[in-house]
Amino acid sequence: MNEKYKKLASNMVVFAVGNAFSKAIQFVLLPVYTAYMTEAAYGIGELLSGLTQLVYPVITLCLYEALFRFVLDRDGNPKVIFSTVMLLVCALIPFALIVGLLLEVLVNAESTFLCALLSVTSALRLCFMNFARGLGAVKRFALSGILNTMALLGGALIFICSLGMGASGYLLNYVVADIFTVVFLFATCKIWKYISVRSFSKPLLRDMLQYSLPLLPNALFWWFTSVFNRYIVLFFCGASIAGLYAAAGKLPSLVNFLSTIFQQAWQISATQEYESDDNEGAFYSKTFAAFSFVMFLGTSLLLACVYPLSLLLLRDGFFDAWTLGPGLVLAAATTCFTAFFTTFFNAAKETVPIFKSTVLGAIVNVVICLGLVFLFGVWGAVVASIIAQVIILIYRVYSSRRLVSLDVDTPALVVGVAVIFLQTFAQSVWAANGVPFAVILFCVLLLVYLRRYRSAISSLAAGVRQSVFRKR
């Protein structure tokens, strides 16, 4: 089997093990949060943590994205790259902490300093993790994710269950988990070897900023596409409904799990393939076929299981949020397909189309969300998320055609889209009565795809088997 498929499959095995453990812990965390926090406290905690996603791209200038991409260059010097990024980031970090402290002291904005601190620890964690992945330390990268979620579980038991700190404990928990992750990667990847003031390079920084700066407004507008809706729900519907919406947003985690496993390996393979002398469209096409197979079946299975999963994960008053789950799963699946095509732009170091599509999606999301939430309540936020993500996907698929050529199995894609849309519609409209229909549709899709995609995924499947047996 071609070496590039083996490498992709081998990396996927490592990421799968790490992410499976992490997601298992996260599944345990959700019932802990919903059992020991009120709907309002959980909603506020989620909203405050969502604010950090606006801050850490600013204090890093999105250079954590450039770290990963530039380290993968064949002629890249990891020490120069990491030193250049970290010296600038460390110079910007104090400003975030000072602003957070001033807001908390002068304006009496509760937990503002904690938000600023979480933004800083998140920025450092992303820089360290992307650098480790770029170096090829995929096992340590995966282990760092496991350590992060284990720290989250331990922190939840202390700060939320034992001390009852509510929203503040929710934020502090993430801060401590990020610190554990940074220390682990610093020690195991011997990060100190890659830090030197003398290695700072202005020309390199200019090139990296040219790559990362279009991603900065992209990150900010992405926030308006994916997080802004929570604040609209809070404003129009109150903290309790916002808490339910935030809890329902955790249900798509299986779809995100499948996509994360693939994306973490795919970003490496796609970049190396794009820069190789024997760049083949066939590699991209076969990989997309396998990705579509897994994503459509995984999404369909999750949609069929949303109701029983909600019985298991959502406690007391949070269970009412389950009907929001199918729509948010559909939006998450769309985002996963968008991420696949985004990798092509990252590989080509063309980030402007990413920015343009996100701006368009953000504008559409804000306008539709404001109108529909006012008219239909929390359901308006769900519909707005789906529409915005679909628009971003269409834009990136269309724009990526000049970079790569994909042979797409259109009938199979149409069947997959139709099935997950019908599953979402049935459970959103008919609630529990739509669950049997969703299960039947999953079985139909499984039979159709097993016949149609069997040969398309054979390369990746063989790679996974060889990787597993080799590790044994």
Side-chain angles (χ1 to χ4, degrees):
M1 188 183 68
N2 195 304
E3 188 64 30
K4 63 185 73 174
Y5 292 103
K6 289 182 181 180
K7 187 168 185 178
L8 175 60
S10 177
N11 285 340
M12 285 177 63
V13 170
V14 176
F15 292 132
V17 172
N19 281 282
F21 191 85
S22 298
K23 287 299 178 184
I25 296 176
Q26 289 178 11
F27 268 111
V28 175
L29 278 172
L30 184 56
V32 170
Y33 291 145
T34 56
Y36 286 89
M37 298 177 72
T38 65
E39 293 93 331
Y42 181 69
I44 292 171
E46 276 286 300
L47 292 171
L48 290 173
S49 66
L51 280 176
T52 65
Q53 297 174 30
L54 271 178
V55 180
Y56 68 70
V58 175
I59 62 177
T60 61
L61 302 178
C62 281
L63 283 168
Y64 54 85
E65 298 278 6
L67 254 179
F68 169 71
R69 177 60 187 85
F70 277 71
V71 171
L72 285 177
D73 283 344
R74 283 179 286 188
D75 58 347
N77 185 324
K79 184 174 183 178
V80 174
I81 293 169
F82 189 73
S83 297
T84 300
V85 170
M86 292 309 299
L87 287 173
L88 179 60
V89 170
C90 289
L92 294 173
I93 281 175
F95 292 100
L97 296 176
I98 291 171
V99 170
L101 184 61
L102 289 176
L103 286 174
E104 181 146 348
V105 173
L106 299 180
V107 188
N108 197 27
E110 187 178 353
S111 298
T112 307
F113 180 74
L114 264 179
C115 282
L117 184 59
L118 178 56
S119 300
V120 169
T121 58
S122 297
L124 292 175
R125 175 178 55 83
L126 286 170
C127 287
F128 278 53
M129 291 185 72
N130 278 344
F131 184 64
R133 187 157 57 110
L135 288 175
V138 292
K139 292 181 181 179
R140 278 164 281 182
F141 173 86
L143 282 173
S144 71
I146 295 174
L147 177 65
N148 185 266
T149 48
M150 289 181 64
L152 282 175
L153 179 59
L157 295 176
I158 296 172
F159 299 125
I160 295 174
C161 298
S162 299
L163 301 179
M165 294 178 64
S168 297
Y170 188 82
L171 293 177
L172 185 59
N173 190 21
Y174 278 95
V175 169
V176 173
D178 284 346
I179 292 173
F180 270 100
T181 306
V182 168
V183 171
F184 170 79
L185 288 172
F186 185 84
T188 58
C189 295
K190 300 179 180 179
I191 297 292
W192 62 85
K193 293 184 176 181
Y194 299 96
I195 301 176
S196 171
V197 176
R198 293 181 179 180
S199 296
F200 181 84
S201 170
K202 286 185 179 180
L204 175 64
L205 179 61
R206 186 166 51 249
D207 291 341
M208 296 183 77
L209 287 174
Q210 187 176 1
Y211 175 88
S212 69
L213 283 180
L215 295 175
L216 175 56
N218 173 74
L220 302 181
F221 279 102
W222 175 87
W223 185 88
F224 280 97
T225 304
S226 57
V227 182
F228 175 78
N229 296 13
R230 301 177 192 174
Y231 296 87
I232 296 300
V233 172
L234 173 67
F235 181 79
F236 284 107
C237 306
S240 294
I241 299 299
L244 294 179
Y245 181 74
K250 303 296 183 182
L251 293 175
S253 57
L254 175 61
V255 173
N256 295 328
F257 164 64
L258 294 174
S259 178
T260 299
I261 292 172
F262 176 82
Q263 281 300 130
Q264 288 173 345
W266 173 237
Q267 287 174 347
I268 298 173
S269 295
T271 300
Q272 293 172 341
E273 173 69 7
Y274 192 85
E275 290 194 334
S276 68
D277 297 327
D278 60 339
N279 189 324
E280 302 177 20
F283 174 65
Y284 293 135
S285 298
K286 288 182 180 179
T287 305
F288 180 69
F291 175 74
S292 300
F293 173 87
V294 173
M295 284 306 304
F296 277 122
L297 282 181
T299 302
S300 181
L301 174 62
L302 180 58
L303 286 169
C305 297
V306 164
Y307 183 77
L309 279 175
S310 299
L311 288 171
L312 178 65
L313 300 176
L314 301 178
R315 303 297 189 203
D316 303 325
F318 282 93
F319 180 74
D320 294 336
W322 90 266
T323 54
L324 303 174
L328 295 175
V329 169
L330 178 59
T334 307
T335 304
C336 294
F337 276 95
T338 300
F340 180 92
F341 288 92
T342 303
T343 303
F344 296 132
F345 298 106
N346 289 328
K349 294 184 178 178
E350 294 188 16
T351 52
V352 174
I354 299 175
F355 162 65
K356 289 181 178 179
S357 60
T358 306
V359 170
L360 177 61
I363 294 172
V364 169
N365 181 69
V366 170
V367 172
I368 294 178
C369 188
L370 284 171
L372 293 186
V373 171
F374 177 76
L375 294 174
F376 304 108
V378 67
W379 281 102
V382 177
V383 173
S385 294
I386 295 172
I387 294 174
Q389 295 300 337
V390 168
I391 288 174
I392 295 173
L393 174 60
I394 292 173
Y395 188 105
R396 294 189 188 176
V397 169
Y398 181 81
S399 300
S400 67
R401 294 189 303 171
R402 63 184 175 79
L403 299 176
V404 296
S405 178
L406 291 179
D407 291 327
V408 178
D409 188 352
T410 304
L413 286 178
V414 170
V415 171
V417 170
V419 166
I420 63 174
F421 177 79
L422 289 173
Q423 287 179 299
T424 301
F425 179 82
Q427 295 181 96
S428 299
V429 175
W430 302 329
N433 293 328
V435 174
F437 183 60
V439 173
I440 293 171
L441 284 173
F442 165 71
C443 294
V444 171
L445 183 65
L446 178 62
L447 292 175
V448 171
Y449 271 22
L450 282 179
R451 294 189 60 182
R452 194 166 188 102
Y453 271 148
R454 188 173 301 170
S455 61
I457 63 170
S458 59
S459 295
L460 285 177
V464 170
R465 288 195 299 270
Q466 289 184 18
S467 177
V468 170
F469 289 137
R470 184 170 62 248
K471 291 179 189 306
R472 289 179 180 176

